[in-house]
Amino acid sequence: MISKVILRNFKQFQNIEIDCNKDKNILVGENGAGKSTILTAIGLVLSGSYAQIEKVGLVSLFNCDIVSDFLKAQIISSLPEVFVELYFDESAPEIFNNFHIEGKHNSKKI
């Protein structure tokens, strides 16, 4: 159902795009590689709950390098931003019929 995950400045990921397989996806990697981080990002977006973000801790979601760069420069226009975006498979009727919005209101403009 999820066709793509985009993370920017989310925990250890500065910028990553993950294209998902339609059938099955398996996250494999060493400890600390980011498997749980990807699942956390997906969970936070799907819950749509600020309470969940507070529970995890907003400060813990920011990429440390991005925050450090901001603190060195202290330029308000470079204020750190956490970005998580999910794309869904439009061929799935339960997604398309319930969530389809006309327009291109996403980072890819698709």
Side-chain angles (χ1 to χ4, degrees):
M1 300 286 217
I2 297 173
S3 61
K4 182 186 294 281
V5 179
I6 299 174
L7 304 177
R8 290 196 190 111
N9 303 327
F10 189 85
K11 295 194 174 212
Q12 70 261 43
F13 297 110
Q14 282 190 6
N15 191 4
I16 186 170
E17 243 180 76
I18 303 163
D19 290 316
C20 301
N21 185 305
K22 287 184 179 185
D23 297 320
K24 191 180 291 186
N25 293 277
I26 300 171
L27 300 176
V28 178
E30 298 288 327
N31 288 344
K35 302 176 300 291
S36 295
T37 297
I38 293 166
L39 295 176
T40 298
I42 292 169
L44 289 173
V45 169
L46 292 178
S47 77
S49 168
Y50 186 73
Q52 289 292 349
I53 293 171
E54 286 181 329
K55 185 177 176 182
V56 173
L58 183 60
V59 173
S60 72
L61 299 179
F62 281 87
N63 178 276
C64 294
D65 294 332
I66 296 300
V67 172
S68 179
D69 291 346
F70 170 74
L71 292 173
K72 287 177 192 170
Q74 292 191 3
I75 300 170
I76 197 71
S77 62
S78 66
L79 192 64
E81 174 184 69
V82 171
F83 180 87
V84 178
E85 189 170 56
L86 302 180
Y87 289 76
F88 296 94
D89 181 6
E90 289 185 13
S91 66
E94 60 274 15
I95 298 294
F96 187 79
N97 294 336
N98 293 315
F99 298 103
H100 182 70
I101 299 173
E102 294 298 324
K104 298 175 180 170
H105 305 287
N106 54 61
S107 66
K108 298 286 186 188
K109 306 290 186 228
I110 57 174

